[in-house]
Amino acid sequence: MAEIRVMHKRRSVWPWMVGLVMVALVIWMVSQAVARADAGRASGGGTARMAKSHPVPVRTARPGKSPAATTPAPAPRPATGEEEALRLRSRVMA
């Protein structure tokens, strides 16, 4: 009888590589979505709370005109007893 040689095909590595990249992309997208949700929850619904600041007066020099008069910034209001207690408590905790 004649001997028949059987040659096994090598499977390509590319489908595995593409699959791993796809899994990594899905994991990355899920982690980004969770991070955005956590950040939105931490900042109070996605809106940043900023302290109100008073506008800074700017002097402009116009040719032939006197400089604009500036108004001084209002003095800060004194802290209430409750606010002072919270400030002191936060210093003790830190």
Side-chain angles (χ1 to χ4, degrees):
M1 283 228 207
E3 184 176 324
I4 300 174
R5 292 188 179 178
V6 178
M7 296 182 74
H8 295 283
K9 285 186 183 179
R10 286 189 164 213
R11 292 189 177 182
S12 179
V13 178
W14 286 108
W16 286 101
M17 298 276 268
V18 171
L20 285 174
V21 168
M22 296 291 282
V23 168
L25 264 169
V26 168
I27 291 172
W28 179 76
M29 289 184 347
V30 168
S31 68
Q32 290 297 311
V34 168
R36 281 192 193 119
D38 287 345
R41 200 174 308 125
S43 69
T47 57
R49 296 184 183 188
M50 297 176 62
K52 288 185 179 179
S53 63
H54 299 286
V56 179
V58 178
R59 289 182 179 237
T60 58
R62 297 181 195 158
K65 302 242 179 182
S66 63
T70 59
T71 57
R77 66 173 178 79
T80 63
E82 210 173 290
E83 291 170 339
E84 190 65 26
L86 284 172
R87 186 181 64 80
L88 290 173
R89 202 175 303 149
S90 66
R91 275 189 162 179
V92 171
M93 293 295 206

